[in-house]
């Protein structure tokens, strides 16, 4: 029963991590590609960490809470690296998709 | 400055650092509790210049409700983005939009930027130098104004309630 649950969590984790990486190949421009690793992989890594926490907590050596920390650090670092990559992309004027007018672009960017 | 403030400038940071130390060591033994407390007390004192403002929480319950909502939204965001990746890339309507900020403290703004990045199809890419506007890239935003209003209502309002009442 426990093993079935763990396998399910690990498979789900692997699936979402794979979809996140697939996004890097499939999405059309730099900025949409940024979304894939910052989000789809969070759930993938999350499932793997929950599986890890359950597995090591039932090994008889007491509760395993390292995984909580990994989650916390992931939630702090993933958006920051995404933010910096996006900012760099904006300032380098990387080509972007978007049919609507870009009314939301920050002023003062270097000319393209 | 009152003496207690000088000795313990950031009580919340001390608490968090102690908890992180205990989690890192995965133990509650008295030795590590003591060591964690000492580290949690020393590190804020030694890095005082990096933390000019003291953090104030006003509604702990509102903060918990906010964290719960964000965790749920992260789950939805992941399914959502997975669906967008597997769907036809030509159907995406990506674009940038600006969110005028009501928040003023640094901590609240960075929390909002992080939340925006973790939740459905949006990624914060730039904060204006005067800290009044957050620029966000949306992966699939048919209506930027509606997305902007939703972010303000769903994430900014609770953060304002907790950090700047």
């Amino acid at each position: 029963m426990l093993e079935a649950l763990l396998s399910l969590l690990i498979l789900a984790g692997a699936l979402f991590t794979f979809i996140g990486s697939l996004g890097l190949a499939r999405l059309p421009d730099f900025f949409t590609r940024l979304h894939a690793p910052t989000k789809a992989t969070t759930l993938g890594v999350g499932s793997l960490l929950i599986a890890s926490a359950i597995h090591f907590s039932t090994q008889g050596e007491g509760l395993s809470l390292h995984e909580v920390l990994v989650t916390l650090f992931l939630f702090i670092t993933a958006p920051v690296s995404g933010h910096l990559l996006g900012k760099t992309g904006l300032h380098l004027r990387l080509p972007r998709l978007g049919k609507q007018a870009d009314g939301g672009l920050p002023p003062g960017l270097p000319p393209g | 400055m009152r003496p207690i403030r000088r000795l313990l400038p950031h009580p919340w940071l001390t608490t968090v650092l102690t908890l992180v130390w205990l989690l890192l060591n995965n133990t509650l033994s008295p030795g590590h509790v003591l060591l964690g407390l000492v580290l949690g007390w020393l590190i804020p004192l030694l890095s005082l210049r990096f933390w000019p403002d003291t953090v104030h929480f006003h509604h702990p319950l509102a903060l918990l409700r906010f964290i719960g909502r964000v965790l749920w939204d992260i789950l939805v965001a992941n399914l959502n983005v997975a669906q967008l990746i597997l769907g036809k890339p030509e159907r995406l309507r990506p674009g940038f939009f600006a969110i005028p900020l009501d928040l003023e403290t640094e901590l609240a703004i960075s929390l909002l930027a992080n939340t925006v990045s973790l939740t459905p199809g949006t990624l914060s890419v730039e904060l204006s130098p005067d800290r009044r506007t957050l620029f966000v890239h949306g992966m699939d935003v048919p209506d930027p104004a509606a997305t902007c209003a939703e972010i303000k209502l769903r994430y900014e309002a609770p953060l304002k309630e907790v950090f700047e009442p």
Side-chain angles (χ1 to χ4, degrees):
Chain A
M1 182 58 207
L2 186 68
E3 282 192 1
L5 177 72
L6 289 180
S7 326
L8 202 68
L9 278 170
I10 291 176
L11 279 178
L15 182 71
F16 276 102
T17 317
F18 173 67
I19 294 179
S21 320
L22 188 69
L24 283 177
R26 261 180 79 81
L27 291 170
D29 71 336
F30 176 79
F31 295 100
T32 47
R33 255 177 246 146
L34 265 185
H35 289 268
T38 48
K39 297 205 199 63
T41 45
T42 321
L43 190 60
V45 177
S47 309
L48 294 175
L49 288 175
I50 293 173
S52 159
I54 296 177
H55 177 73
F56 286 104
S57 297
T58 51
Q59 291 295 298
E61 287 175 21
L63 223 51
S64 170
L65 292 174
H66 283 139
E67 288 80 2
V68 179
L69 270 189
V70 180
T71 318
L72 182 71
F73 292 150
L74 193 69
F75 280 7
I76 296 175
T77 52
V80 174
S81 44
H83 181 92
L84 285 177
L85 283 171
K87 189 171 173 145
T88 315
L90 264 182
H91 284 261
L92 288 178
R93 291 253 153 192
L94 293 182
R96 55 178 188 273
L97 287 181
K99 288 167 195 92
Q100 79 215 29
D102 281 320
L105 276 181
L109 287 178
Chain B
M1 210 193 262
R2 281 174 299 157
I4 179 86
R5 275 265 167 259
R6 205 167 338 160
L7 265 179
L8 194 66
H10 299 289
W12 286 110
L13 189 59
T14 302
T15 317
V16 171
L17 284 174
T18 310
L19 282 179
V20 166
W21 177 259
L22 292 177
L23 279 172
L24 271 176
N25 288 290
N26 215 359
T27 174
L28 269 177
S29 66
H32 273 296
V33 174
L34 199 65
L35 188 54
L37 280 172
V38 169
L39 285 173
W41 170 66
L42 268 182
I43 293 174
L45 269 187
L46 294 177
S47 58
L48 202 53
R49 282 158 186 256
F50 289 103
W51 322 91
D53 310 320
T54 315
V55 175
H56 295 285
F57 290 100
H58 295 276
H59 297 93
L61 261 179
L63 185 66
L64 281 182
R65 215 168 36 233
F66 175 74
I67 292 175
R69 176 186 289 175
V70 169
L71 284 179
W72 172 251
D73 283 355
I74 288 174
L75 190 70
V76 177
N78 280 281
L79 296 173
N80 211 335
V81 171
Q83 198 186 0
L84 288 178
I85 290 173
L86 294 176
K88 280 208 179 92
E90 303 83 48
R91 285 224 315 263
L92 294 178
R93 285 149 297 181
F96 291 90
F97 55 96
I99 303 177
L101 291 177
D102 293 325
L103 297 171
E104 277 152 17
T105 56
E106 284 180 3
L107 180 68
I109 294 177
S110 43
L111 276 178
L112 179 71
N114 269 23
T115 313
V116 163
S117 290
L118 282 171
T119 47
T122 48
L123 193 71
S124 65
V125 289
E126 173 92 286
L127 180 68
S128 68
D130 61 355
R131 297 201 197 128
R132 307 299 310 166
T133 320
L134 185 68
F135 295 95
V136 173
H137 181 263
M139 196 180 179
D140 186 32
V141 277
D143 185 0
T147 315
C148 176
E150 196 192 327
I151 289 173
K152 281 190 82 74
L153 184 74
R154 211 171 154 77
Y155 307 124
E156 194 186 14
L159 279 175
K160 186 144 183 90
E161 189 186 340
V162 172
F163 292 102
E164 311 168 359

